[in-house]
Amino acid sequence: MAVPGKAVVGRLREGFVSVGSPRYARELEVVSEELFKKIEAIEATGKIVVVVQLAKCCLGLIAFRDEVRADAAAAIARLKDLGLRSIMLTGDNRRTANAIAEGLNLEVRSELLPDDKLAVIASLEGSGPVAMIGDGINDAPALAAANVGVAMGGGTDVALETADAALLKDRVLGVVELVRLARATLRNISQNIGIAMGLKVMLLATTLTGVTSL
């Protein structure tokens, strides 16, 4: 079974085994203070650590890391040039999230459950429209709640179905292209409406003066 935001738990002959967050392991009192300091040191390098425990005994640690996409830094810089504020929302622990965000010059909110992401989206919507970009199952609620939800091309089916738009190519720079395309489209719409209204006003005036017929 899954313990939301904490661990996956299974039952073996020897007892219950879990693979989960260090916080969950501390709740079960299977991580010593010395081991927790080692976990913190690993997390500070930008890695995510999960604790494997069986029958309230720590069997070991697994450390892994999400590698930053090659075009992520360039995309975030270009979004900033477009006047947009970018914030990373993640369920990862604070130390890992800060290590990754620092390399991208990016704001970050960490240790978020799906409901926490919804709360952040709601708070940001008070300052203006919000676009959420995601690719995972946990991102789906936030994608639906944002003014615009954008799914990465290689994302889960749930994310793709929930989002308003999907990037066909799995590139962060696609977000920049999407923003530019959307702004260009809005400019064209505004120009077309302006020209149409201007012509109507001109024809109304000339009709009233008898220059043109109705």
Side-chain angles (χ1 to χ4, degrees):
M1 66 177 183
V3 182
K6 294 183 177 181
V8 175
V9 181
R11 186 170 64 185
L12 304 178
R13 289 180 182 176
E14 297 84 354
F16 285 97
V17 62
S18 74
V19 180
S21 69
R23 278 187 301 170
Y24 181 70
R26 291 201 85 172
E27 290 176 14
L28 298 179
E29 298 180 349
V30 299
V31 176
S32 66
E33 198 63 37
E34 182 182 355
L35 184 58
F36 196 76
K37 288 180 180 178
K38 290 182 180 179
I39 292 172
E40 289 180 332
I42 296 171
E43 289 176 342
T45 65
K47 294 178 181 177
I48 301 165
V49 179
V50 294
V51 180
V52 183
Q53 66 91 18
L54 173 64
K56 292 198 172 183
C57 176
C58 180
L59 298 182
L61 308 175
I62 302 173
F64 54 96
R65 174 180 171 128
D66 287 328
E67 290 301 327
V68 176
R69 295 173 190 264
D71 61 342
I76 292 165
R78 292 185 190 180
L79 287 172
K80 187 175 182 180
D81 292 339
L82 291 173
L84 299 175
R85 176 188 177 193
S86 300
I87 304 174
M88 181 171 71
L89 308 182
T90 177
D92 293 344
N93 68 80
R94 177 176 49 81
R95 286 174 292 275
T96 299
N98 287 344
I100 294 173
E102 186 177 347
L104 295 173
N105 192 25
L106 182 66
E107 290 184 55
V108 62
R109 310 280 176 87
S110 57
E111 300 181 0
L112 301 178
L113 297 175
D115 287 345
D116 297 325
K117 291 183 181 181
L118 285 176
V120 174
I121 294 291
S123 67
L124 292 172
E125 285 178 337
S127 304
V130 177
M132 169 72 186
I133 296 92
D135 61 2
I137 295 173
N138 289 339
D139 295 326
L143 287 169
N147 298 107
V148 178
V150 181
M152 298 299 292
T156 60
D157 291 341
V158 174
L160 290 167
E161 291 171 6
T162 305
D164 301 297
L167 301 177
L168 299 181
K169 296 181 180 178
D170 202 20
R171 297 165 52 249
V172 186
L173 282 170
V175 178
V176 180
E177 295 164 3
L178 182 63
V179 172
R180 288 174 174 166
L181 180 60
R183 288 183 174 181
T185 301
L186 285 173
R187 281 196 300 271
N188 285 342
I189 291 172
S190 298
Q191 290 169 2
N192 289 340
I193 291 174
I195 292 170
M197 293 302 294
L199 287 172
K200 288 180 183 294
V201 170
M202 182 184 70
L203 289 171
L204 176 62
T206 55
T207 299
L208 291 175
T209 58
V211 176
T212 58
S213 65
L214 184 60

